Amino acid sequence: MGSVRRASAWLGLVDDNGGEGYYDEEYADYGQGSERADTWVTDPRVRVATESAEEQGRRIATVTPDGFRDARGIGELFREGVPVIVNLTGMESADAKRVVDFAAGLTFGLRGSIERVANRVFLLTPADYSVMNGDVHRGGDGFFNQN
């Protein structure tokens, strides 16, 4: 496996076993009379917290782009100082790579950081934010201590 392929696998853009397909079509079949069509639907591409959080400067945006053309929205939110969670699970591999490249350049140019939080999901944080690891206290008298 080449270094570009390994980097792509680490970023979650391709499967580690060499296949490009990551999506199983049997899960996409909801059927004609499925209750999924009756559920409440919002715009899944951009979600920002309520107005009170916006007034206090405590906002996080979740963006699920359909294609590279949605990268501008990611950039505009990030330039405003809003941390952005970018979910690339529904994109083609080539477009997802372009969005990751765009996000990496965006965070570099604005002195922020980019972190992979799941397969094809990235967190872009502005320079004045720090991301804390949830595994800070291991082994002590934790909630699930089995000693």
Side-chain angles (χ1 to χ4, degrees), residues 2 14 16 33 51 77 102 122:
V14 296
D16 290 335
E51 289 180 17
L77 286 166
F102 171 80
F122 298 89

Side-chain angles (χ1 to χ4, degrees), residues 19-147:
E20 286 291 321
Y22 68 95
Y23 187 69
D24 193 354
E25 288 297 323
E26 75 179 61
Y27 294 110
D29 185 20
Y30 299 116
Q32 295 292 340
S34 175
E35 54 189 59
R36 181 143 172 86
D38 297 326
T39 59
W40 182 58
V41 178
T42 61
D43 184 354
R45 293 185 298 164
V46 178
R47 281 181 238 146
V48 179
T50 62
E51 289 180 17
S52 63
E54 187 173 340
E55 291 170 4
Q56 297 172 8
R58 295 182 294 189
R59 303 184 298 163
I60 297 178
T62 302
V63 179
T64 307
D66 293 332
F68 185 73
R69 68 184 178 282
D70 296 329
R72 180 177 180 160
I74 295 168
E76 289 173 352
L77 286 166
F78 191 78
R79 280 194 310 190
E80 291 175 14
V82 177
V84 182
I85 299 171
V86 182
N87 183 352
L88 303 173
T89 56
M91 291 184 67
E92 296 285 329
S93 182
D95 280 343
K97 288 177 186 178
R98 289 179 67 196
V99 171
V100 169
D101 287 344
F102 171 80
L106 178 69
T107 56
F108 178 78
L110 296 175
R111 301 193 190 286
S113 64
I114 183 171
E115 184 175 334
R116 179 177 168 232
V117 294
N119 193 23
R120 288 184 168 222
V121 179
F122 298 89
L123 172 63
L124 312 178
T125 51
D128 55 345
Y129 282 80
S130 67
V131 178
M132 295 175 48
N133 188 352
D135 298 333
V136 174
H137 185 55
R138 284 198 176 243
D141 294 321
F143 186 74
F144 291 105
N145 189 5
Q146 298 294 321
N147 290 334

